[in-house]
Amino acid sequence: MLDNGVAVIERSYNHQEIWCLVSRDLRDYYGEAIHRSWFSKIYFMECTTHNVVLSTPTNFIRDWVKSHYLTVILQFWQHYDQNIKVIELITKVLSTQEQELLSPNVGTQIVVESSSKQILGSDNSFANLDPRFTFENFVVGPPNELAYAAARAVAESRNVVVESNPLFLYGGVGLGKTHLMHAIAWYIRHHNPLRKVIYMSAEKFMYQFVKALRNKDVMSFKEEFRSVDVLMIDDIQFICGKDSTQEEFFHTFNALIDNNRQMVISCDRSPSDLDDIEDRIKSRLGWGLVADVHSTTYELRLGILESKLEQMNIHIPQDVIEFLAAKITSNVRELEGALNKVIAHSTLVNREVNLNNTQDILRDLLRSNERIITIEDIQRKIAERYNIKVSDMSSPRRVRSVARPRQLAMYLSKILTPKSLADIGKKFGKKDHTTVMHAIKKIEELCALDVEFREEVSTLTRILQS
């Protein structure tokens, strides 16, 4: 059909063709060596409404693929047929003739190549995408619902979402920014494959630009990045202080926006809080929608664990799930890693999963995960609480609406972190230690005189320590 003048290919695949595509995807994702060792001898056998049966030549290959790759195979398959719920592996030695008939390369090479070129562009960015990172696997809660809704809108639209261009996602490590970017790419790849998408880290963007300079082939670099429909750059803070890369990013940004192409950027802080980056770039990064991904709540962590267990089709006691959600608070990546470690230990040593075993298995992780509060944490929380910018913490502004929260942040930095007065002062715009001493004294005086203010300070302390 035609949509706004653009031809959109829509087709369904038979199950043999899907295995051809999945096999191709596995090779792109894991590389040729792993594909040759484990996937090249797997053949499609049959399919029912919800189950797919694949064959392997030996029990060893069957067991290894089942324990290491089965979840990924299922996720790849579901990109082409969401009805499939189970991938079953059987051992069956096929004759040479059967292997030739069932080969995943027979009769599909043209389809695979054309699909790859349409979707991936010349840099084959699909190989950089994690098949687990889809919208279906993203658990939504108050800390991330705006970022999720914006990412979904960008992915589902066949045209640029003007009010979200660029879409700027920011937040701490392991909170889901990269997951959302991969999800956008996956969605476009399977629902609007004629749109050319490039996803890469800012580090790789810089590497490719430097390589183009060295090879005196900057024009090819410009053509590559300025011809895409959707450009996604992860961890843009990496280009801070890299003047030549910033210059090229600035021109690439302008070219894409002027040509009505979508940009999605992620960062560990908001545009206004980026250091060592040109003001003109800061301004442009904030043109569209800036969506922050907050630290996870207990309820969200609980939902993430339950979703993960459902995907793995594994049951563990509820008190263990609640314990993990309460104790592993740093980020989602570490939370899922803790769950995987508990499950792996139970499987390998054949011990039941219970609270005592979990505490023993995660002893070192739990010790290192005890809340470590930083000055940056305090500044962000105070800025959010009093509706000011984080950058106001280090500014010379002396208006009461800024000065009082800044004094409170200095006070909390002294009582909640091991930093010296001089170190604290540096974090607040290179202020002298006497300024920090004055702020601490002022907050102590207010706490003594004002009960409500004292309760406010106590509440903020509990929030930061939770």
Side-chain angles (χ1 to χ4, degrees):
M1 66 178 180
L2 293 178
D3 181 36
N4 295 326
V6 177
V8 178
I9 295 176
E10 294 182 351
R11 66 162 295 182
S12 59
Y13 300 97
N14 65 43
H15 299 297
Q16 176 64 31
E17 288 176 327
I18 291 178
W19 173 238
C20 296
L21 296 170
V22 170
S23 179
R24 183 278 315 270
D25 294 347
L26 290 167
R27 184 179 63 246
D28 288 342
Y29 185 63
Y30 287 109
E32 187 63 42
I34 290 179
H35 184 273
R36 186 168 54 252
S37 298
W38 302 109
F39 306 126
S40 63
K41 297 178 178 65
I42 298 178
Y43 296 91
F44 170 77
M45 300 306 296
E46 61 178 328
C47 180
T48 60
T49 305
H50 300 295
N51 290 41
V52 169
V53 179
L54 303 175
S55 72
T56 63
T58 68
N59 290 337
F60 175 74
I61 293 177
R62 180 200 64 195
D63 294 343
W64 184 267
V65 171
K66 185 176 181 179
S67 61
H68 290 81
Y69 303 112
L70 196 61
T71 300
V72 175
I73 294 174
L74 176 60
Q75 288 167 340
F76 274 130
W77 200 291
Q78 288 174 336
H79 284 306
Y80 302 101
D81 184 354
Q82 295 183 357
N83 293 320
I84 298 304
K85 306 300 181 186
V86 177
I87 301 290
E88 182 182 351
L89 294 176
I90 64 171
T91 301
K92 184 174 182 179
V93 179
L94 302 177
S95 66
T96 302
Q97 184 178 10
E98 287 175 318
Q99 290 180 23
E100 291 175 353
L101 288 172
L102 297 173
S103 170
N105 296 315
V106 173
T108 61
Q109 194 62 36
I110 294 176
V111 173
V112 172
E113 289 182 354
S114 62
S115 173
S116 176
K117 288 176 182 176
Q118 290 169 352
I119 296 164
L120 307 177
S122 59
D123 75 326
N124 196 18
S125 57
F126 168 61
N128 299 323
L129 300 178
D130 192 319
R132 300 169 299 170
F133 290 170
T134 64
F135 287 123
E136 290 72 23
N137 292 340
F138 190 85
V139 180
V140 184
N144 59 32
E145 58 188 357
L146 173 61
Y148 172 83
R152 189 104 203 188
V154 166
E156 292 177 353
S157 176
R158 293 189 182 276
N159 303 301
V160 170
V161 182
V162 177
E163 63 273 16
S164 299
N165 197 23
L167 173 58
F168 190 96
L169 306 172
Y170 78 94
V173 174
L175 297 181
K177 304 185 301 297
T178 297
H179 187 142
L180 287 174
M181 296 183 83
H182 285 216
I184 291 171
W186 279 122
Y187 190 95
I188 294 173
R189 181 179 192 270
H190 295 290
H191 293 84
N192 195 7
L194 292 183
R195 295 184 83 187
K196 181 181 177 184
V197 178
I198 289 182
Y199 162 84
M200 64 173 50
S201 67
E203 182 177 12
K204 187 173 181 182
F205 179 87
M206 187 189 77
Y207 168 77
Q208 291 203 4
F209 176 59
V210 172
K211 182 180 177 182
L213 286 174
R214 188 169 59 244
N215 295 336
K216 298 180 180 179
D217 193 22
V218 175
M219 287 308 300
S220 295
F221 176 89
K222 292 178 183 292
E223 290 171 4
E224 170 101 32
F225 285 93
R226 299 181 191 185
S227 64
V228 299
D229 297 298
V230 183
L231 176 62
M232 298 192 288
I233 304 292
D234 210 351
D235 291 326
I236 197 65
Q237 71 273 4
F238 188 84
I239 71 171
C240 291
K242 314 293 195 307
D243 293 342
S244 60
T245 303
Q246 286 188 38
E247 182 74 16
E248 180 56 34
F249 176 79
F250 174 79
H251 293 302
T252 298
F253 183 101
N254 285 343
L256 290 173
I257 297 295
D258 289 346
N259 286 288
N260 204 30
R261 308 296 174 86
Q262 182 72 52
M263 291 196 69
V264 183
I265 309 293
S266 84
C267 190
D268 64 353
R269 70 205 85 157
S270 70
S272 60
D273 292 324
L274 283 168
D275 297 322
D276 297 322
I277 198 166
E278 297 177 22
D279 288 339
R280 59 179 182 169
I281 295 179
K282 283 187 185 182
S283 173
R284 280 160 175 75
L285 292 176
W287 272 0
L289 176 61
V290 178
D292 55 342
V293 184
H294 296 291
S295 297
T296 56
T297 60
Y298 169 77
E299 291 77 14
L300 182 57
R301 292 192 295 274
L302 201 62
I304 289 169
L305 290 172
E306 290 171 346
S307 174
K308 179 80 172 176
L309 289 166
E310 183 179 346
Q311 293 171 36
M312 301 169 72
N313 196 27
I314 292 174
H315 171 78
I316 68 173
Q318 187 65 25
D319 60 343
V320 173
I321 301 174
E322 293 173 356
F323 174 79
L324 292 174
K327 293 296 184 181
I328 312 298
T329 61
S330 53
N331 60 65
V332 176
R333 202 172 298 155
E334 195 164 85
L335 179 67
E336 292 184 342
L339 177 64
N340 290 337
K341 185 174 182 180
V342 170
I343 293 171
H345 186 273
S346 171
T347 302
L348 292 171
V349 302
N350 197 27
R351 290 174 64 186
E352 67 170 334
V353 176
N354 59 42
L355 191 55
N356 287 335
N357 290 341
T358 298
Q359 291 173 320
D360 185 51
I361 294 165
L362 300 178
R363 187 188 307 110
D364 293 339
L365 179 60
L366 293 170
R367 188 182 301 118
S368 66
N369 205 73
E370 289 184 2
R371 188 77 170 103
I372 298 174
I373 303 170
T374 67
I375 293 175
E376 289 81 4
D377 292 335
I378 295 169
Q379 290 176 332
R380 280 194 293 269
K381 181 55 67 177
I382 296 296
E384 179 185 329
R385 185 85 168 187
Y386 291 95
N387 196 29
I388 62 175
K389 296 179 180 178
V390 175
S391 56
D392 286 334
M393 291 291 169
S394 55
S395 76
R397 296 180 64 196
R398 295 188 177 183
V399 294
R400 184 184 178 88
S401 61
V402 171
R404 186 55 48 79
R406 186 165 56 222
Q407 289 176 330
L408 178 54
M410 289 181 183
Y411 169 80
L412 292 172
S413 296
K414 179 57 181 173
I415 67 172
L416 296 178
T417 78
K419 299 296 184 180
S420 67
L421 296 177
D423 288 337
I424 294 171
K426 290 177 183 177
K427 293 289 187 179
F428 287 83
K430 298 181 180 179
K431 292 182 172 56
D432 189 82
H433 74 281
T434 57
T435 304
V436 181
M437 290 175 63
H438 172 74
I440 293 170
K441 184 178 180 181
K442 186 64 178 178
I443 297 300
E444 288 175 341
E445 290 173 353
L446 288 170
C447 286
L449 295 172
D450 189 331
V451 174
E452 288 187 5
F453 184 78
R454 183 167 66 244
E455 290 179 351
E456 170 77 354
V457 173
S458 177
T459 299
L460 283 167
T461 302
R462 285 198 303 274
I463 290 172
L464 286 161
Q465 290 177 325
S466 65

